[in-house]
Amino acid sequence: QHLLNTITGIALLYYCYGIGIVHLLFDICLIAVLLKVAGGTIGSVLFTWFWVFGHLLWGYSGEYLVDGVLPRSWTTAHCVLTLKLIGVATSVYDAKTGKKANEKSSVDSLFALTSSKIQVLEVMGFCCLFCTSIIGPQLSFHHYREFVNGTLYDREKVRGNVHYAINRAALAVFYLAIFFLTNPYVPSTAYYASVEFAMQSYLKKLFLSGVFFFFLFKRFFIGWLIVEAACASFGISYKANKDGSYE
């Protein structure tokens, strides 16, 4: 399953960002090996924080507008990856230090991660999971492990919620239709860097900027609804309640 998740995730990332995904794959492999060798140490956590976050900032610094439009970039997926890798490194550290101090571990530390149990392919599958690698959502490594191992929920009683997934996908299509119908009438990014915009009154600038960002974020709403539908149909979005039910 880890191999399948890795292959499908890489294929989707390559389709979206092309050769730029080498930045993501390099960081995944580097941190996975680091956790295998020195996971659970404060040094591994600090290195993960500074490396992946620094790499992301470096990517942002190299972006520029092309004809007034910010091009599609690997930094979008790397933003999600940064949170994932930092989360894994921190969970490993929490699990090890909690065990040493004979403390009761948190839910996300019950898998008792140690450097010897971390597998590079497992981290690859977690980071490249197709329904969470582009724009989220964020899942803990423990949650992913439970899903792969078949212990996240009772598969005899609970299935992927296809009905809910169809509803979210339909809502995404609805927003997508609105976006395409209204997009020709919304000023482009280049307009807001033009002299014409600079000559407008302050109140009109506020109004136009509000309208622009409202329609700009429609793209994110569409993306979030699509991945929500994918996670629901895939079954990875389930969460167990204390009374034994699932949501």
Side-chain angles (χ1 to χ4, degrees), residues 37-68:
V37 175
T41 63
I42 188 64
S44 65
V45 176
L46 293 176
F47 180 85
T48 303
W49 267 89
F50 284 106
W51 176 264
V52 295
F53 193 59
H55 193 171
L56 177 64
L57 292 179
W58 174 81
Y60 283 147
S61 67
E63 293 181 344
Y64 55 91
L65 296 178
V66 178
D67 295 329

PDB file of all heavy atoms in Angstrom, residues 37-68:
ATOM      1  N   VAL A  37      17.748   7.112  11.133  1.00  0.00           N
ATOM      2  CA  VAL A  37      19.057   7.078  11.781  1.00  0.00           C
ATOM      3  C   VAL A  37      19.039   7.748  13.148  1.00  0.00           C
ATOM      4  O   VAL A  37      19.595   7.223  14.126  1.00  0.00           O
ATOM      5  CB  VAL A  37      20.117   7.755  10.880  1.00  0.00           C
ATOM      6  CG1 VAL A  37      21.459   7.827  11.585  1.00  0.00           C
ATOM      7  CG2 VAL A  37      20.245   6.994   9.564  1.00  0.00           C
ATOM      8  N   ALA A  38      18.405   8.906  13.240  1.00  0.00           N
ATOM      9  CA  ALA A  38      18.480   9.685  14.483  1.00  0.00           C
ATOM     10  C   ALA A  38      17.125  10.192  14.942  1.00  0.00           C
ATOM     11  O   ALA A  38      17.025  11.234  15.581  1.00  0.00           O
ATOM     12  CB  ALA A  38      19.429  10.861  14.294  1.00  0.00           C
ATOM     13  N   GLY A  39      16.058   9.477  14.607  1.00  0.00           N
ATOM     14  CA  GLY A  39      14.726   9.906  15.012  1.00  0.00           C
ATOM     15  C   GLY A  39      14.561   9.921  16.520  1.00  0.00           C
ATOM     16  O   GLY A  39      15.094   9.063  17.221  1.00  0.00           O
ATOM     17  N   GLY A  40      13.822  10.884  17.019  1.00  0.00           N
ATOM     18  CA  GLY A  40      13.583  10.978  18.453  1.00  0.00           C
ATOM     19  C   GLY A  40      14.533  11.895  19.190  1.00  0.00           C
ATOM     20  O   GLY A  40      14.394  12.101  20.395  1.00  0.00           O
ATOM     21  N   THR A  41      15.498  12.453  18.484  1.00  0.00           N
ATOM     22  CA  THR A  41      16.440  13.381  19.115  1.00  0.00           C
ATOM     23  C   THR A  41      16.000  14.811  18.837  1.00  0.00           C
ATOM     24  O   THR A  41      15.338  15.092  17.839  1.00  0.00           O
ATOM     25  CB  THR A  41      17.859  13.172  18.571  1.00  0.00           C
ATOM     26  OG1 THR A  41      17.874  13.462  17.159  1.00  0.00           O
ATOM     27  CG2 THR A  41      18.316  11.737  18.783  1.00  0.00           C
ATOM     28  N   ILE A  42      16.393  15.708  19.721  1.00  0.00           N
ATOM     29  CA  ILE A  42      16.047  17.111  19.531  1.00  0.00           C
ATOM     30  C   ILE A  42      16.721  17.663  18.285  1.00  0.00           C
ATOM     31  O   ILE A  42      16.183  18.542  17.605  1.00  0.00           O
ATOM     32  CB  ILE A  42      16.448  17.947  20.781  1.00  0.00           C
ATOM     33  CG1 ILE A  42      15.913  19.374  20.655  1.00  0.00           C
ATOM     34  CG2 ILE A  42      17.948  17.936  20.997  1.00  0.00           C
ATOM     35  CD1 ILE A  42      14.397  19.469  20.642  1.00  0.00           C
ATOM     36  N   GLY A  43      17.882  17.114  17.949  1.00  0.00           N
ATOM     37  CA  GLY A  43      18.580  17.557  16.745  1.00  0.00           C
ATOM     38  C   GLY A  43      17.802  17.234  15.483  1.00  0.00           C
ATOM     39  O   GLY A  43      17.776  18.034  14.540  1.00  0.00           O
ATOM     40  N   SER A  44      17.160  16.057  15.453  1.00  0.00           N
ATOM     41  CA  SER A  44      16.377  15.682  14.265  1.00  0.00           C
ATOM     42  C   SER A  44      15.183  16.607  14.088  1.00  0.00           C
ATOM     43  O   SER A  44      14.814  16.966  12.962  1.00  0.00           O
ATOM     44  CB  SER A  44      15.921  14.231  14.373  1.00  0.00           C
ATOM     45  OG  SER A  44      15.011  14.063  15.449  1.00  0.00           O
ATOM     46  N   VAL A  45      14.576  17.006  15.213  1.00  0.00           N
ATOM     47  CA  VAL A  45      13.427  17.914  15.141  1.00  0.00           C
ATOM     48  C   VAL A  45      13.857  19.287  14.641  1.00  0.00           C
ATOM     49  O   VAL A  45      13.231  19.867  13.749  1.00  0.00           O
ATOM     50  CB  VAL A  45      12.751  18.034  16.518  1.00  0.00           C
ATOM     51  CG1 VAL A  45      11.606  19.050  16.463  1.00  0.00           C
ATOM     52  CG2 VAL A  45      12.223  16.683  16.982  1.00  0.00           C
ATOM     53  N   LEU A  46      14.935  19.814  15.214  1.00  0.00           N
ATOM     54  CA  LEU A  46      15.418  21.144  14.813  1.00  0.00           C
ATOM     55  C   LEU A  46      15.869  21.155  13.361  1.00  0.00           C
ATOM     56  O   LEU A  46      15.579  22.105  12.617  1.00  0.00           O
ATOM     57  CB  LEU A  46      16.563  21.578  15.729  1.00  0.00           C
ATOM     58  CG  LEU A  46      16.192  21.854  17.186  1.00  0.00           C
ATOM     59  CD1 LEU A  46      17.438  22.176  18.008  1.00  0.00           C
ATOM     60  CD2 LEU A  46      15.190  23.005  17.275  1.00  0.00           C
ATOM     61  N   PHE A  47      16.577  20.100  12.960  1.00  0.00           N
ATOM     62  CA  PHE A  47      17.032  20.031  11.567  1.00  0.00           C
ATOM     63  C   PHE A  47      15.846  20.004  10.614  1.00  0.00           C
ATOM     64  O   PHE A  47      15.853  20.686   9.583  1.00  0.00           O
ATOM     65  CB  PHE A  47      17.908  18.806  11.342  1.00  0.00           C
ATOM     66  CG  PHE A  47      18.404  18.678   9.920  1.00  0.00           C
ATOM     67  CD1 PHE A  47      19.551  19.350   9.515  1.00  0.00           C
ATOM     68  CD2 PHE A  47      17.712  17.894   8.998  1.00  0.00           C
ATOM     69  CE1 PHE A  47      20.002  19.241   8.196  1.00  0.00           C
ATOM     70  CE2 PHE A  47      18.149  17.790   7.689  1.00  0.00           C
ATOM     71  CZ  PHE A  47      19.301  18.468   7.291  1.00  0.00           C
ATOM     72  N   THR A  48      14.826  19.197  10.946  1.00  0.00           N
ATOM     73  CA  THR A  48      13.636  19.115  10.093  1.00  0.00           C
ATOM     74  C   THR A  48      12.955  20.465   9.982  1.00  0.00           C
ATOM     75  O   THR A  48      12.579  20.903   8.887  1.00  0.00           O
ATOM     76  CB  THR A  48      12.649  18.075  10.651  1.00  0.00           C
ATOM     77  OG1 THR A  48      13.293  16.807  10.750  1.00  0.00           O
ATOM     78  CG2 THR A  48      11.436  17.945   9.750  1.00  0.00           C
ATOM     79  N   TRP A  49      12.794  21.145  11.113  1.00  0.00           N
ATOM     80  CA  TRP A  49      12.186  22.473  11.114  1.00  0.00           C
ATOM     81  C   TRP A  49      12.947  23.432  10.201  1.00  0.00           C
ATOM     82  O   TRP A  49      12.360  24.043   9.296  1.00  0.00           O
ATOM     83  CB  TRP A  49      12.178  23.039  12.542  1.00  0.00           C
ATOM     84  CG  TRP A  49      10.927  22.772  13.312  1.00  0.00           C
ATOM     85  CD1 TRP A  49      10.661  21.689  14.089  1.00  0.00           C
ATOM     86  CD2 TRP A  49       9.757  23.600  13.368  1.00  0.00           C
ATOM     87  NE1 TRP A  49       9.419  21.792  14.641  1.00  0.00           N
ATOM     88  CE2 TRP A  49       8.831  22.953  14.231  1.00  0.00           C
ATOM     89  CE3 TRP A  49       9.424  24.827  12.805  1.00  0.00           C
ATOM     90  CZ2 TRP A  49       7.583  23.491  14.506  1.00  0.00           C
ATOM     91  CZ3 TRP A  49       8.182  25.355  13.098  1.00  0.00           C
ATOM     92  CH2 TRP A  49       7.276  24.696  13.932  1.00  0.00           C
ATOM     93  N   PHE A  50      14.230  23.557  10.435  1.00  0.00           N
ATOM     94  CA  PHE A  50      15.015  24.554   9.705  1.00  0.00           C
ATOM     95  C   PHE A  50      15.197  24.170   8.233  1.00  0.00           C
ATOM     96  O   PHE A  50      15.172  25.044   7.357  1.00  0.00           O
ATOM     97  CB  PHE A  50      16.376  24.760  10.373  1.00  0.00           C
ATOM     98  CG  PHE A  50      16.307  25.578  11.634  1.00  0.00           C
ATOM     99  CD1 PHE A  50      16.439  24.983  12.882  1.00  0.00           C
ATOM    100  CD2 PHE A  50      16.086  26.944  11.585  1.00  0.00           C
ATOM    101  CE1 PHE A  50      16.364  25.738  14.045  1.00  0.00           C
ATOM    102  CE2 PHE A  50      16.006  27.708  12.730  1.00  0.00           C
ATOM    103  CZ  PHE A  50      16.144  27.102  13.971  1.00  0.00           C
ATOM    104  N   TRP A  51      15.370  22.885   7.955  1.00  0.00           N
ATOM    105  CA  TRP A  51      15.638  22.491   6.575  1.00  0.00           C
ATOM    106  C   TRP A  51      14.402  22.648   5.687  1.00  0.00           C
ATOM    107  O   TRP A  51      14.448  23.328   4.662  1.00  0.00           O
ATOM    108  CB  TRP A  51      16.150  21.057   6.502  1.00  0.00           C
ATOM    109  CG  TRP A  51      16.339  20.625   5.080  1.00  0.00           C
ATOM    110  CD1 TRP A  51      15.466  19.933   4.294  1.00  0.00           C
ATOM    111  CD2 TRP A  51      17.457  20.930   4.234  1.00  0.00           C
ATOM    112  NE1 TRP A  51      15.967  19.773   3.030  1.00  0.00           N
ATOM    113  CE2 TRP A  51      17.187  20.369   2.965  1.00  0.00           C
ATOM    114  CE3 TRP A  51      18.670  21.595   4.453  1.00  0.00           C
ATOM    115  CZ2 TRP A  51      18.092  20.468   1.912  1.00  0.00           C
ATOM    116  CZ3 TRP A  51      19.563  21.690   3.387  1.00  0.00           C
ATOM    117  CH2 TRP A  51      19.271  21.142   2.139  1.00  0.00           C
ATOM    118  N   VAL A  52      13.286  22.001   6.073  1.00  0.00           N
ATOM    119  CA  VAL A  52      12.126  22.015   5.185  1.00  0.00           C
ATOM    120  C   VAL A  52      11.491  23.405   5.119  1.00  0.00           C
ATOM    121  O   VAL A  52      11.031  23.841   4.057  1.00  0.00           O
ATOM    122  CB  VAL A  52      11.083  20.961   5.615  1.00  0.00           C
ATOM    123  CG1 VAL A  52      11.640  19.565   5.467  1.00  0.00           C
ATOM    124  CG2 VAL A  52      10.595  21.184   7.028  1.00  0.00           C
ATOM    125  N   PHE A  53      11.491  24.120   6.257  1.00  0.00           N
ATOM    126  CA  PHE A  53      10.924  25.465   6.236  1.00  0.00           C
ATOM    127  C   PHE A  53      11.833  26.409   5.463  1.00  0.00           C
ATOM    128  O   PHE A  53      11.360  27.268   4.709  1.00  0.00           O
ATOM    129  CB  PHE A  53      10.723  25.969   7.663  1.00  0.00           C
ATOM    130  CG  PHE A  53       9.877  27.199   7.751  1.00  0.00           C
ATOM    131  CD1 PHE A  53       8.574  27.201   7.280  1.00  0.00           C
ATOM    132  CD2 PHE A  53      10.371  28.366   8.299  1.00  0.00           C
ATOM    133  CE1 PHE A  53       7.785  28.337   7.356  1.00  0.00           C
ATOM    134  CE2 PHE A  53       9.596  29.513   8.378  1.00  0.00           C
ATOM    135  CZ  PHE A  53       8.294  29.497   7.901  1.00  0.00           C
ATOM    136  N   GLY A  54      13.143  26.255   5.628  1.00  0.00           N
ATOM    137  CA  GLY A  54      14.089  27.070   4.864  1.00  0.00           C
ATOM    138  C   GLY A  54      14.000  26.795   3.380  1.00  0.00           C
ATOM    139  O   GLY A  54      14.087  27.716   2.556  1.00  0.00           O
ATOM    140  N   HIS A  55      13.833  25.524   3.029  1.00  0.00           N
ATOM    141  CA  HIS A  55      13.685  25.153   1.619  1.00  0.00           C
ATOM    142  C   HIS A  55      12.437  25.793   1.026  1.00  0.00           C
ATOM    143  O   HIS A  55      12.444  26.281  -0.110  1.00  0.00           O
ATOM    144  CB  HIS A  55      13.609  23.626   1.514  1.00  0.00           C
ATOM    145  CG  HIS A  55      13.774  23.109   0.119  1.00  0.00           C
ATOM    146  ND1 HIS A  55      13.911  21.781  -0.179  1.00  0.00           N
ATOM    147  CD2 HIS A  55      13.823  23.734  -1.085  1.00  0.00           C
ATOM    148  CE1 HIS A  55      14.038  21.612  -1.473  1.00  0.00           C
ATOM    149  NE2 HIS A  55      13.987  22.788  -2.052  1.00  0.00           N
ATOM    150  N   LEU A  56      11.348  25.808   1.805  1.00  0.00           N
ATOM    151  CA  LEU A  56      10.111  26.428   1.339  1.00  0.00           C
ATOM    152  C   LEU A  56      10.289  27.925   1.133  1.00  0.00           C
ATOM    153  O   LEU A  56       9.866  28.479   0.107  1.00  0.00           O
ATOM    154  CB  LEU A  56       8.996  26.162   2.349  1.00  0.00           C
ATOM    155  CG  LEU A  56       7.641  26.802   2.046  1.00  0.00           C
ATOM    156  CD1 LEU A  56       7.056  26.240   0.760  1.00  0.00           C
ATOM    157  CD2 LEU A  56       6.666  26.567   3.207  1.00  0.00           C
ATOM    158  N   LEU A  57      10.923  28.604   2.076  1.00  0.00           N
ATOM    159  CA  LEU A  57      11.156  30.045   1.943  1.00  0.00           C
ATOM    160  C   LEU A  57      12.051  30.351   0.752  1.00  0.00           C
ATOM    161  O   LEU A  57      11.851  31.343   0.040  1.00  0.00           O
ATOM    162  CB  LEU A  57      11.778  30.595   3.229  1.00  0.00           C
ATOM    163  CG  LEU A  57      10.878  30.600   4.469  1.00  0.00           C
ATOM    164  CD1 LEU A  57      11.640  31.139   5.669  1.00  0.00           C
ATOM    165  CD2 LEU A  57       9.618  31.422   4.226  1.00  0.00           C
ATOM    166  N   TRP A  58      13.047  29.492   0.531  1.00  0.00           N
ATOM    167  CA  TRP A  58      13.918  29.659  -0.644  1.00  0.00           C
ATOM    168  C   TRP A  58      13.101  29.547  -1.928  1.00  0.00           C
ATOM    169  O   TRP A  58      13.306  30.304  -2.883  1.00  0.00           O
ATOM    170  CB  TRP A  58      15.011  28.602  -0.622  1.00  0.00           C
ATOM    171  CG  TRP A  58      15.868  28.615  -1.854  1.00  0.00           C
ATOM    172  CD1 TRP A  58      16.914  29.448  -2.126  1.00  0.00           C
ATOM    173  CD2 TRP A  58      15.736  27.762  -2.999  1.00  0.00           C
ATOM    174  NE1 TRP A  58      17.441  29.169  -3.369  1.00  0.00           N
ATOM    175  CE2 TRP A  58      16.741  28.129  -3.926  1.00  0.00           C
ATOM    176  CE3 TRP A  58      14.880  26.721  -3.322  1.00  0.00           C
ATOM    177  CZ2 TRP A  58      16.895  27.488  -5.158  1.00  0.00           C
ATOM    178  CZ3 TRP A  58      15.024  26.075  -4.551  1.00  0.00           C
ATOM    179  CH2 TRP A  58      16.023  26.472  -5.438  1.00  0.00           C
ATOM    180  N   GLY A  59      12.154  28.612  -1.949  1.00  0.00           N
ATOM    181  CA  GLY A  59      11.296  28.472  -3.127  1.00  0.00           C
ATOM    182  C   GLY A  59      10.427  29.685  -3.347  1.00  0.00           C
ATOM    183  O   GLY A  59      10.268  30.159  -4.475  1.00  0.00           O
ATOM    184  N   TYR A  60       9.888  30.229  -2.254  1.00  0.00           N
ATOM    185  CA  TYR A  60       9.069  31.440  -2.372  1.00  0.00           C
ATOM    186  C   TYR A  60       9.885  32.617  -2.896  1.00  0.00           C
ATOM    187  O   TYR A  60       9.403  33.425  -3.693  1.00  0.00           O
ATOM    188  CB  TYR A  60       8.476  31.810  -1.011  1.00  0.00           C
ATOM    189  CG  TYR A  60       7.303  30.959  -0.585  1.00  0.00           C
ATOM    190  CD1 TYR A  60       7.083  30.672   0.767  1.00  0.00           C
ATOM    191  CD2 TYR A  60       6.396  30.454  -1.515  1.00  0.00           C
ATOM    192  CE1 TYR A  60       5.999  29.899   1.171  1.00  0.00           C
ATOM    193  CE2 TYR A  60       5.329  29.686  -1.122  1.00  0.00           C
ATOM    194  CZ  TYR A  60       5.131  29.406   0.222  1.00  0.00           C
ATOM    195  OH  TYR A  60       4.062  28.651   0.617  1.00  0.00           O
ATOM    196  N   SER A  61      11.127  32.722  -2.445  1.00  0.00           N
ATOM    197  CA  SER A  61      11.959  33.858  -2.844  1.00  0.00           C
ATOM    198  C   SER A  61      12.297  33.821  -4.328  1.00  0.00           C
ATOM    199  O   SER A  61      12.597  34.862  -4.924  1.00  0.00           O
ATOM    200  CB  SER A  61      13.257  33.875  -2.029  1.00  0.00           C
ATOM    201  OG  SER A  61      14.070  32.757  -2.361  1.00  0.00           O
ATOM    202  N   GLY A  62      12.247  32.642  -4.923  1.00  0.00           N
ATOM    203  CA  GLY A  62      12.595  32.523  -6.334  1.00  0.00           C
ATOM    204  C   GLY A  62      11.414  32.667  -7.266  1.00  0.00           C
ATOM    205  O   GLY A  62      11.576  32.620  -8.490  1.00  0.00           O
ATOM    206  N   GLU A  63      10.198  32.844  -6.725  1.00  0.00           N
ATOM    207  CA  GLU A  63       9.020  32.987  -7.565  1.00  0.00           C
ATOM    208  C   GLU A  63       8.878  34.428  -8.050  1.00  0.00           C
ATOM    209  O   GLU A  63       9.272  35.363  -7.375  1.00  0.00           O
ATOM    210  CB  GLU A  63       7.761  32.567  -6.799  1.00  0.00           C
ATOM    211  CG  GLU A  63       7.728  31.079  -6.489  1.00  0.00           C
ATOM    212  CD  GLU A  63       6.459  30.684  -5.764  1.00  0.00           C
ATOM    213  OE1 GLU A  63       5.782  31.583  -5.240  1.00  0.00           O
ATOM    214  OE2 GLU A  63       6.173  29.478  -5.714  1.00  0.00           O
ATOM    215  N   TYR A  64       8.318  34.579  -9.216  1.00  0.00           N
ATOM    216  CA  TYR A  64       8.135  35.902  -9.791  1.00  0.00           C
ATOM    217  C   TYR A  64       6.904  35.893 -10.678  1.00  0.00           C
ATOM    218  O   TYR A  64       6.417  34.842 -11.108  1.00  0.00           O
ATOM    219  CB  TYR A  64       9.359  36.315 -10.612  1.00  0.00           C
ATOM    220  CG  TYR A  64       9.731  35.309 -11.683  1.00  0.00           C
ATOM    221  CD1 TYR A  64       9.216  35.416 -12.972  1.00  0.00           C
ATOM    222  CD2 TYR A  64      10.582  34.236 -11.393  1.00  0.00           C
ATOM    223  CE1 TYR A  64       9.543  34.494 -13.949  1.00  0.00           C
ATOM    224  CE2 TYR A  64      10.915  33.305 -12.370  1.00  0.00           C
ATOM    225  CZ  TYR A  64      10.392  33.442 -13.646  1.00  0.00           C
ATOM    226  OH  TYR A  64      10.713  32.514 -14.608  1.00  0.00           O
ATOM    227  N   LEU A  65       6.393  37.076 -10.935  1.00  0.00           N
ATOM    228  CA  LEU A  65       5.202  37.196 -11.765  1.00  0.00           C
ATOM    229  C   LEU A  65       5.551  37.067 -13.240  1.00  0.00           C
ATOM    230  O   LEU A  65       6.545  37.625 -13.704  1.00  0.00           O
ATOM    231  CB  LEU A  65       4.514  38.539 -11.519  1.00  0.00           C
ATOM    232  CG  LEU A  65       3.952  38.767 -10.104  1.00  0.00           C
ATOM    233  CD1 LEU A  65       3.346  40.166 -10.028  1.00  0.00           C
ATOM    234  CD2 LEU A  65       2.925  37.725  -9.742  1.00  0.00           C
ATOM    235  N   VAL A  66       4.743  36.328 -13.971  1.00  0.00           N
ATOM    236  CA  VAL A  66       4.875  36.210 -15.423  1.00  0.00           C
ATOM    237  C   VAL A  66       3.648  36.856 -16.040  1.00  0.00           C
ATOM    238  O   VAL A  66       2.536  36.338 -15.908  1.00  0.00           O
ATOM    239  CB  VAL A  66       4.978  34.724 -15.852  1.00  0.00           C
ATOM    240  CG1 VAL A  66       5.055  34.630 -17.374  1.00  0.00           C
ATOM    241  CG2 VAL A  66       6.186  34.073 -15.208  1.00  0.00           C
ATOM    242  N   ASP A  67       3.840  37.984 -16.692  1.00  0.00           N
ATOM    243  CA  ASP A  67       2.737  38.763 -17.249  1.00  0.00           C
ATOM    244  C   ASP A  67       1.700  39.099 -16.175  1.00  0.00           C
ATOM    245  O   ASP A  67       0.486  39.082 -16.411  1.00  0.00           O
ATOM    246  CB  ASP A  67       2.062  37.994 -18.388  1.00  0.00           C
ATOM    247  CG  ASP A  67       2.987  37.792 -19.580  1.00  0.00           C
ATOM    248  OD1 ASP A  67       3.842  38.669 -19.807  1.00  0.00           O
ATOM    249  OD2 ASP A  67       2.864  36.756 -20.261  1.00  0.00           O
ATOM    250  N   GLY A  68       2.206  39.407 -14.981  1.00  0.00           N
ATOM    251  CA  GLY A  68       1.319  39.810 -13.905  1.00  0.00           C
ATOM    252  C   GLY A  68       0.645  38.672 -13.171  1.00  0.00           C
ATOM    253  O   GLY A  68      -0.183  38.901 -12.304  1.00  0.00           O
TER     254      GLY A  68
END
